[in-house]
Amino acid sequence: MPFKVLIANRGEIALRAIRACKELNISTVSVYSEGDKDLKHLKFSDETVCIGPASPLESYLNTPAILSAAELTQVDAIYPGYGFLAEDSNFAEMCEKSGFKFIGPSPETIKSMGDKITAKTLAENSGIQIVPGYKEDIPDDEEEFKAIAKKIGYPIMIKATAGGGGRGMRVVKSEEDLISSAEITMQEAKIAFGNEKIYLEKFIANPRHIEIQVVGDGKGHAIHLGTRDCSMQRRHQKIIEEAPAQNIDESSLNQTYEACINLCKKIKYEGAGTIEFLYEDGQFYFIEMNTRIQVEHPVTEMITGFDIVKAQLRIALGLDIKLDQNSIKFFGHAVECRINAEDPETFQPSPGKITKMHIPGGFGIRYDSHIYGGYIVPPYYDSLLAKIITLANTRNSAIKRMISALDEFFIEGIKTNHPLHQKLMHDDTFVNNEHTINYLETEFLKNDS
Ligand code: ADP
């Protein structure tokens, strides 16, 4: 009997998961909302189940509806992808309680990593360098609190321990704003996350975003698949990602790899995960661990030849897999551009009908996308339309290849950030790899307007 997996997601990642399932002879069940009847992957799925109205709360975030679909179709396991319920420990727990394997780490691990203080403590205990700060309870006495902040040194960042998605954070430049900023962050956190606990971190002024892809088998074996640089961001949303990260201090990197593997082994990490860092002046500072597949996973797959989604499936279903660090070989450089349905200047979402389009191809070019000519991009979900990935011997050649791929690509009918990518590929700061996480917003877009 082949395994059967329910894909609890939509768009390009649902298609990516189906492709991996097919290669492993796993049958697929795809769930979809009423607003998503025309999604491409539904045509390639063995079975499909409508789980509710277009609103994500009533469909892709609707645990009872997803579990009913799983029961109806008698699947073995549930693949969460990214976003939606992928990092919801309650969902993972409900899957397991209902007799379905959740494809990812245990609910306990998801929960620990979802709480920023617990995650920082776990990381620190495995030898991972964290952002200096203060994670004990904030004292009631204002003077005592001010003394703690002063010791860390301004500017500092106040963070909600239950925060996520770039929310629940506030930079404090000087002591006079400390108390009011802390109070506002706590109030906001209470409303947004139901948990008002906050902690302090040093504000790292101008870092790069570097992350490490890890894979664990849940039995104490783990490997890393190298680094990614995702510094080209707008409002904490990554736009361009590449692998490997270049110009990184080798001894810091090796120490960090070792500590990441330590962490995964210690918590018997299961499946794919990403440990994210801010990197400045040769130092890595842990920010969080994402306990799921990430949008940018293809750049790592391209430079290693390691299929991360297949590994997730194999590990979860108990299929044969050997995680051997020595067998991981790195080749060349990969760059990914995220094509979003949004105005390239105002960044306003631009849903609607794609009247005409053409996709790029050729040597070293990968295109991961669910869209097609005639497809109507619905307004209810995230704006990611396509990922164009290039692989070449060197970073410069991968950028050149991307320029040619972007020239071939076109979408008509809706606005996309395609022109922004074309400009960025010719931008000296990007080409020279001198950009930090602040570059796009504080320099490039300002100079551009
Ligand atoms: P979230 O879970 O909300 O995504 P993260 O802790 O991953 O929050 O932080 C999101 C982004 O916020 C980081 O990628 C970085 O750009 C910025 N950031 C977080 N912590 C710091 C810090 N201590 N100093 C400077 N920037 C930070």
Side-chain angles (χ1 to χ4, degrees), residues 116 131 157 159 163-167 169 199 201-205 207 209 233 236 276 278 287-288 437:
K116 289 176 181 244
V131 186
M157 206 165 197
K159 286 184 161 185
R167 294 179 315 148
M169 294 189 281
Y199 64 101
E201 263 183 10
K202 177 141 193 69
F203 179 66
I204 313 287
H209 174 114
Q233 310 183 345
H236 305 311
E276 296 193 331
L278 298 176
I287 41 175
E288 66 171 339
I437 60 170

Side-chain angles (χ1 to χ4, degrees), residues 77-98:
I78 298 183
Y79 186 79
Y82 51 69
F84 297 124
L85 297 166
E87 284 175 299
D88 183 326
S89 59
N90 290 327
F91 177 68
E93 200 176 328
M94 292 290 283
C95 289
E96 305 278 321
K97 280 197 175 139
S98 310

Side-chain angles (χ1 to χ4, degrees), residues 7-172:
I7 296 158
N9 214 300
R10 65 179 302 284
E12 72 86 21
I13 195 65
L15 183 60
R16 171 76 187 86
I18 288 202
R19 287 173 174 157
C21 286
K22 279 190 191 289
E23 283 184 42
L24 293 172
N25 295 322
I26 296 169
S27 315
T28 49
V29 176
S30 294
V31 294
Y32 64 99
S33 78
E34 283 164 13
D36 262 348
K37 289 192 183 87
D38 296 323
L39 272 180
K40 178 165 160 180
H41 76 280
L42 300 178
K43 303 194 171 46
F44 305 117
S45 187
D46 296 307
E47 289 169 71
T48 60
V49 182
C50 182
I51 47 167
S55 147
L57 271 177
E58 294 177 272
S59 50
Y60 302 105
L61 291 169
N62 183 346
T63 302
I66 293 169
L67 292 178
S68 302
E71 260 156 40
L72 187 77
T73 52
Q74 299 196 329
V75 297
D76 300 289
I78 298 183
Y79 186 79
Y82 51 69
F84 297 124
L85 297 166
E87 284 175 299
D88 183 326
S89 59
N90 290 327
F91 177 68
E93 200 176 328
M94 292 290 283
C95 289
E96 305 278 321
K97 280 197 175 139
S98 310
F100 308 113
K101 172 76 188 154
F102 174 82
I103 302 180
S106 68
E108 295 72 41
T109 299
I110 300 175
K111 199 166 176 188
S112 322
M113 290 303 172
D115 181 274
K116 289 176 181 244
I117 293 186
T118 314
K120 270 187 99 161
T121 307
L122 278 170
E124 196 176 18
N125 292 344
S126 300
I128 295 178
Q129 170 132 14
I130 60 170
V131 186
Y134 182 80
K135 48 185 165 60
E136 312 299 316
D137 287 340
I138 304 289
D140 290 332
D141 184 90
E142 288 190 5
E143 293 311 311
E144 225 180 295
F145 183 30
K146 284 180 185 168
I148 291 166
K150 195 169 178 184
K151 200 167 157 211
I152 298 169
Y154 289 93
I156 60 166
M157 206 165 197
I158 301 181
K159 286 184 161 185
T161 181
R167 294 179 315 148
M169 294 189 281
R170 186 164 267 103
V171 181
V172 184

